[in-house]
Amino acid sequence: MDLKKLNVDQQKAVNTLSGPLLIIAGAGSGKTRTMTYRIAKLLETGVKPYRIMALTFTNKAAREMKNRIIELVGDEASEAWIGTFHSICMRFLRRDIDRLGYENSFVIYDEDDQSKLLKEIYSDLDYDEKRFTIREMRRLISDAKNKLLCADSWFEQSDRDFRSQRIHDIFQMYDKRLKMANALDFDDIITLTLKLFNDYPDLLNKYKNQFSHVHVDEYQDTNFAQYELVRLLTEDSRNLCVVGDDDQSIYGWRGADIRNILEFKKDFPDAEIIKLEQNYRSTQVILDASNELIANNEGRMEKTLWTDIEGGDPIRFYEALDEREEAAWVCERIQRLHKIEEIPYSDMCVLYRMHAQSRVLEEMLMRAGIPYKVFGGTRFYDRKEIRDAIAYLRLVVNPQDDISLKRIINVPKRSIGDSTLGTLEKAARERDVPLYSVLYDLPETLSSRPQKCVQNFAEIMNDLAVAKENMKLTEFVQYTLDRSGLLAQFEDTNDEDLIARHENLMEFVGAVQEFENLSEDKSLEAYMENVSLVSDLDMELEAPQYVTLMTLHSAKGLEYDVVFITGLEDGIFPSRRAMQEDDRLEEERRLLYVGMTRAKRFLHLSLAGRRLLFNQLHINSPSRFLSEMPKNLMSNKLGKAKRKHFGEPEKPEDIYKRPEPQEPSFSFGAPGIGQKIDSIPGVLKGFVPSAAMKAKAPPEVFNEGDRVLHKKFGEGTVRGVEGKGSNARITIFFTAYGEKQFALSIAPIAKIEG
């Protein structure tokens, strides 16, 4: 086996074969290669494959590791115990779980199975799901088990009030019912393995003697239960090799404990620590900025990434007026890099802190004809809660839409099951009428309780039909979400997924408000047509190349030639909650570090001076993280050009506020509707020089293909100029706004470098 392919530090790690070893592997430093070579080296020195264990967090990582080792030393490596924590523990349990009173043929309950079981328990204990949702209960039980707490020990650490007692009873009955069903949930796989080892020392000794060398990948992501498993298996041999990077610990919210890696030396005072700092992914410019950023964290192991890759573009930075201008800039840069640098769309990625930020980005990408795919999430208009909201609106517009009716008749749950729906559908077929008609003339075969539930739904739809005729568009959509109960089902919860769904619905209201502000036809019908067109413009999933959109949490372990990180504003990134707690703030900084180190060649950072999010206008300061990066590594060409030609941007105004009641005035289908001209922000009485007149006079000649900067629409390409003098008109193509024509003499445009 040729170790010359490894650098000096990697070789040192591979050749350190005994005793506790901590490999601090910086982003892009070749940790997988180092670990596979180390295991191959152990096999080469005579260690039997069945005596080697390697624990990973994903099946993909385990497969990749095993295949690489087989390539290095041959098929004998296939006998090594390489797999995820859960797959390895399943092997232990299949052999010996009968000692704990289970049959070896046990089954694993997935989230849906768990929810059904908890629903039965809630019913048996007469517990109201509104007090503590099943999803929250599932997460509480999971969190407790990862901390090795049973129902009784959890209760001892709780507030011990009436609510805690009820949760304890549900937790206890849940575990009892699981065992009666000879079933385990996902967290039981590790916790019951630990119980097996603690209750039966002979079994633990058997495995401690079998495994002479244990490896753990992504050690910074381990929780307490995983930490205990590793500790038990290696407390005699002490041949433990863990690989990880404390600077990439971003999963504290789901139980990962960064102390496991930071305090490794405390657990193993004789441990060898080797740092892999040479990066094989990013340019030095990107690494220097990332190093400067993460150095502001106090709870970390010091390291400095470097690379042999020469050169590198400066980091592109853009401060947009609002989220739409930010998205337009992202689209423009994507198109330029695709055409000029010939970078495939598949090598580009757009990152954001939360899913709700994707809506405006998606809409702009669709307008620009750029294929994209949302990774680790669903496209905004494909998300269940958004499709449910649209189904209500479609049914109001078209009561004959049976598909939409069947989708939402029991959303949120209102005790209208499949049997009741089947009875209604049968009546509709027999009468040859739309399903909607049957709601107001129920069949006699329907018993009293389902009749009442259907009547309640019909009353909701009737209220919505009346409200549609008397409310403005955005007001009506908000009323629909309230009256239907769509919003209420996601309120009063600490469940992050439910909070995200609530935020998505508020972002949907924001999209409607935006449409109402900008469109001449402000009817519900016009909006529904707009939504349909947006969907029709969507790219096919099987497109061979697409730009990837994802949250920063989803990006860990990935790499792209081009990376955009959007929304760098205090309150967004870092989040408001993180700004109040030092530990959370440090994890947010690590999250940005992870995002930045995904980029191989081109890194872009952006923010918006004002951002409409969850239908609320946010005027945030630039993220504090930006001030922690070296300014000499960042380029803001477009921002400088805008200031040069158009002056400093105006202070963000809350243009989305509903205007105060005034006497009727003409509408121009733009922000400020219903206001007098002189009360619209930024509009003054009398003659006001245009931005173009304030700016340096534009060049006399524009040619097709020239790159220009427009004060509102950003960068564009000249398509042509017609006419002369004061009658001259210029046509410009903007990536996110399409083709637009202006009077050349007054257009706020300036020529810029290509």
Side-chain angles (χ1 to χ4, degrees):
M1 187 171 61
D2 184 11
L3 298 185
K4 291 179 181 177
K5 295 179 180 179
L6 306 180
N7 65 39
V8 174
D9 292 321
Q10 290 173 334
Q11 289 182 33
K12 185 179 179 183
V14 169
N15 288 317
T16 305
L17 299 179
S18 61
L21 172 64
L22 169 59
I23 302 174
I24 298 295
S29 62
K31 71 177 179 66
T32 304
R33 167 179 283 198
T34 303
M35 196 180 229
T36 54
Y37 268 79
R38 187 179 192 273
I39 294 172
K41 181 77 172 180
L42 284 168
L43 292 170
E44 211 175 53
T45 57
V47 178
K48 298 296 182 185
Y50 64 84
R51 302 203 67 192
I52 297 172
M53 175 185 287
L55 298 165
T56 69
F57 277 86
T58 66
N59 290 311
K60 180 183 175 185
R63 282 195 304 271
E64 183 181 350
M65 189 180 297
K66 180 170 280 191
N67 290 337
R68 286 195 190 185
I69 297 169
I70 290 172
E71 286 177 10
L72 290 171
V73 296
D75 290 339
E76 66 165 330
S78 61
E79 294 180 32
W81 284 51
I82 300 173
T84 64
F85 277 91
H86 292 89
S87 67
I88 295 294
C89 286
M90 283 286 285
R91 294 178 70 173
F92 295 144
L93 294 174
R94 286 293 179 202
R95 294 179 179 184
D96 295 293
I97 198 172
D98 56 311
R99 299 195 189 197
L100 299 178
Y102 292 82
E103 294 181 17
N104 295 84
S105 57
F106 66 87
V107 296
I108 303 298
Y109 272 14
D110 61 19
E111 288 187 356
D112 188 54
D113 298 323
Q114 291 173 257
S115 296
K116 287 176 181 175
L117 176 57
L118 284 168
K119 199 171 187 67
E120 289 177 10
I121 295 170
Y122 272 43
S123 177
D124 292 346
L125 296 180
D126 195 25
Y127 190 78
D128 187 358
E129 189 180 340
K130 291 179 181 177
R131 292 184 180 180
F132 201 70
T133 69
I134 285 175
R135 185 188 298 270
E136 287 176 298
M137 182 64 73
R138 251 196 3 245
R139 291 203 173 180
L140 181 145
I141 292 172
S142 175
D143 183 60
K145 289 185 176 183
N146 286 330
K147 293 175 180 173
L148 302 182
L149 300 175
C150 64
D152 289 340
S153 50
W154 176 86
F155 182 72
E156 289 301 313
Q157 295 186 10
S158 72
D159 294 333
R160 301 194 196 185
D161 54 11
F162 177 74
R163 180 173 179 270
S164 299
Q165 181 63 57
R166 296 288 277 167
I167 291 172
H168 163 270
D169 295 345
I170 293 167
F171 189 171
Q172 195 171 56
M173 186 174 286
Y174 168 79
D175 273 347
K176 183 180 179 182
R177 295 268 182 96
L178 274 177
K179 191 166 185 178
M180 287 172 61
N182 196 38
L184 277 60
D185 64 25
F186 201 62
D187 300 299
D188 286 331
I189 296 171
I190 294 179
T191 57
L192 289 183
T193 298
L194 289 168
K195 180 173 175 56
L196 198 59
F197 287 168
N198 284 316
D199 290 358
Y200 296 93
D202 63 308
L203 203 56
L204 174 60
N205 288 330
K206 170 189 169 184
Y207 287 117
K208 285 201 296 190
N209 290 331
Q210 175 180 333
F211 297 113
S212 61
H213 292 80
V214 175
H215 303 73
V216 184
D217 191 17
E218 303 285 7
Y219 193 63
Q220 77 280 351
D221 293 334
T222 52
N223 59 33
F224 182 63
Q226 291 159 338
Y227 165 84
E228 273 296 295
L229 177 68
V230 171
R231 187 188 65 79
L232 283 176
L233 288 171
T234 60
E235 60 184 351
D236 289 350
S237 75
R238 298 179 65 74
N239 288 330
L240 171 63
C241 170
V242 301
V243 182
D245 182 7
D246 52 301
D247 288 337
Q248 296 187 70
S249 177
I250 59 173
Y251 298 122
W253 50 277
R254 71 181 189 197
D257 193 342
I258 193 173
R259 291 176 300 179
N260 292 347
I261 192 167
L262 292 178
E263 297 178 4
F264 187 80
K265 191 78 173 175
K266 186 183 293 185
D267 294 332
F268 299 93
D270 57 332
E272 176 99 29
I273 298 178
I274 297 173
K275 296 179 183 178
L276 305 183
E277 297 174 294
Q278 182 174 358
N279 178 283
Y280 295 93
R281 176 188 299 153
S282 308
T283 66
Q284 192 63 52
V285 170
I286 293 170
L287 296 181
D288 285 345
S290 303
N291 287 333
E292 287 276 340
L293 170 74
I294 202 63
N296 288 277
N297 271 6
E298 293 182 5
R300 67 184 292 265
M301 293 181 169
E302 192 172 330
K303 71 189 77 68
T304 303
L305 298 184
W306 61 275
T307 182
D308 281 336
I309 302 172
E310 296 181 0
D313 271 36
I315 297 167
R316 293 281 185 132
F317 170 70
Y318 186 58
E319 184 171 359
L321 183 65
D322 60 23
E323 75 279 7
R324 299 189 70 77
E325 186 178 292
E326 178 188 42
W329 176 74
V330 169
C331 290
E332 182 64 34
R333 288 294 301 155
I334 287 172
Q335 290 286 47
R336 300 284 290 166
L337 289 166
H338 182 62
K339 290 176 182 176
I340 295 174
E341 299 287 341
E342 297 184 347
I343 298 175
Y345 288 131
S346 55
D347 277 338
M348 303 190 203
C349 176
V350 184
L351 304 176
Y352 37 81
R353 180 64 183 81
M354 60 188 89
H355 282 299
Q357 287 172 252
S358 77
R359 178 187 64 84
V360 175
L361 288 163
E362 290 185 57
E363 289 181 359
M364 283 294 181
L365 287 164
M366 285 187 281
R367 280 191 188 186
I370 298 172
Y372 74 92
K373 181 180 180 182
V374 178
F375 178 89
T378 311
R379 292 170 184 258
F380 185 81
Y381 287 104
D382 285 342
R383 291 170 191 166
K384 181 185 181 302
E385 61 273 16
I386 304 302
R387 291 176 70 88
D388 290 341
I390 289 173
Y392 270 98
L393 300 178
R394 283 175 57 178
L395 192 58
V396 172
V397 170
N398 177 24
Q400 293 179 304
D401 185 354
D402 283 1
I403 298 297
S404 292
L405 174 54
K406 285 189 280 188
R407 179 183 180 91
I408 49 92
I409 193 169
N410 196 39
V411 177
K413 294 189 182 302
R414 46 178 68 93
S415 300
I416 301 176
D418 292 341
S419 176
T420 300
L421 183 57
T423 302
L424 298 176
E425 287 183 292
K426 181 182 178 184
R429 285 194 301 270
E430 290 174 350
R431 300 176 194 174
D432 195 23
V433 296
L435 189 57
Y436 192 88
S437 301
V438 181
L439 301 182
Y440 299 94
D441 184 14
L442 296 174
E444 295 180 0
T445 52
L446 210 59
S447 57
S448 58
R449 187 170 182 273
Q451 270 197 19
K452 180 64 176 172
C453 295
V454 174
Q455 285 168 352
N456 288 342
F457 174 70
E459 186 178 330
I460 290 171
M461 295 311 302
N462 188 61
D463 287 352
L464 295 180
V466 173
K468 172 182 175 290
E469 303 303 322
N470 298 295
M471 292 181 179
K472 290 184 177 180
L473 178 59
T474 307
E475 182 185 6
F476 170 69
V477 171
Q478 181 71 59
Y479 176 75
T480 300
L481 299 182
D482 291 332
R483 182 71 179 89
S484 64
L486 285 177
L487 269 178
Q489 65 182 329
F490 303 131
E491 292 174 347
D492 300 323
T493 178
N494 293 319
D495 187 305
E496 292 191 8
D497 183 58
L498 298 183
I499 292 171
R501 290 174 184 269
H502 187 279
E503 290 174 344
N504 286 337
L505 284 174
M506 294 312 299
E507 179 69 7
F508 177 66
V509 177
V512 176
Q513 179 72 70
E514 193 172 272
F515 174 84
E516 187 175 1
N517 285 342
L518 300 174
S519 177
E520 292 185 13
D521 186 347
K522 304 175 190 308
S523 65
L524 177 60
E525 289 80 0
Y527 178 70
M528 297 311 297
E529 182 179 327
N530 178 69
V531 169
S532 299
L533 290 173
V534 166
S535 299
D536 290 342
L537 284 168
D538 224 341
M539 311 302 163
E540 294 183 2
L541 286 177
E542 58 268 22
Q545 287 191 11
Y546 46 76
V547 175
T548 301
L549 271 64
M550 69 176 93
T551 64
L552 282 124
H553 279 103
S554 300
K556 190 164 176 289
L558 304 175
E559 61 181 34
Y560 296 88
D561 273 348
V562 180
V563 170
F564 294 84
I565 302 178
T566 61
L568 279 163
E569 302 130 43
D570 273 354
I572 303 292
F573 193 17
S575 67
R576 295 201 184 284
R577 193 172 176 184
M579 286 160 61
Q580 297 167 2
E581 301 175 37
D582 289 344
D583 286 349
R584 285 181 178 270
L585 188 63
E586 293 214 343
E587 182 156 321
E588 290 279 292
R589 190 179 283 111
R590 291 195 293 269
L591 186 58
L592 178 54
Y593 173 83
V594 166
M596 292 172 66
T597 53
R598 299 310 94 198
K600 296 199 285 189
R601 296 172 57 195
F602 300 100
L603 175 60
H604 303 75
L605 307 175
S606 63
L607 64 93
R610 61 176 177 237
R611 183 178 298 277
L612 188 64
L613 195 62
F614 319 134
N615 198 34
Q616 290 185 340
L617 186 72
H618 301 262
I619 299 178
N620 299 317
S621 303
S623 171
R624 61 197 58 198
F625 296 149
L626 289 168
S627 65
E628 298 172 357
M629 300 180 209
K631 296 295 176 285
N632 64 306
L633 301 180
M634 301 174 73
S635 167
N636 186 14
K637 284 184 179 179
L638 195 57
K640 288 178 180 176
K642 287 183 77 171
R643 283 191 289 274
K644 173 184 175 183
H645 295 290
F646 309 122
E648 290 296 328
E650 297 174 16
K651 183 180 177 181
E653 298 285 344
D654 188 352
I655 63 170
Y656 299 98
K657 282 184 179 176
R658 191 182 299 278
E660 296 296 322
Q662 297 176 0
E663 58 187 76
S665 59
F666 290 106
S667 161
F668 299 98
I673 283 171
Q675 293 171 286
K676 294 178 180 179
I677 291 296
D678 61 357
S679 71
I680 299 176
V683 176
L684 304 174
K685 288 183 178 179
F687 175 76
V688 181
S690 72
M693 293 179 71
K694 290 180 185 177
K696 184 179 177 181
E700 290 184 1
V701 179
F702 284 94
N703 296 310
E704 184 177 349
D706 283 350
R707 297 290 296 162
V708 295
L709 179 65
H710 188 282
K711 186 177 182 183
K712 177 180 178 183
F713 300 110
E715 291 180 86
T717 304
V718 175
R719 286 284 172 86
V721 179
E722 299 173 355
K724 295 182 180 180
S726 60
N727 294 322
R729 297 188 68 79
I730 185 169
T731 302
I732 304 172
F733 177 78
F734 301 96
T735 298
Y737 296 97
E739 203 169 89
K740 293 189 177 291
Q741 196 174 75
F742 309 94
L744 185 55
S745 61
I746 61 171
I749 59 173
K751 207 169 187 178
I752 57 174
E753 294 179 13

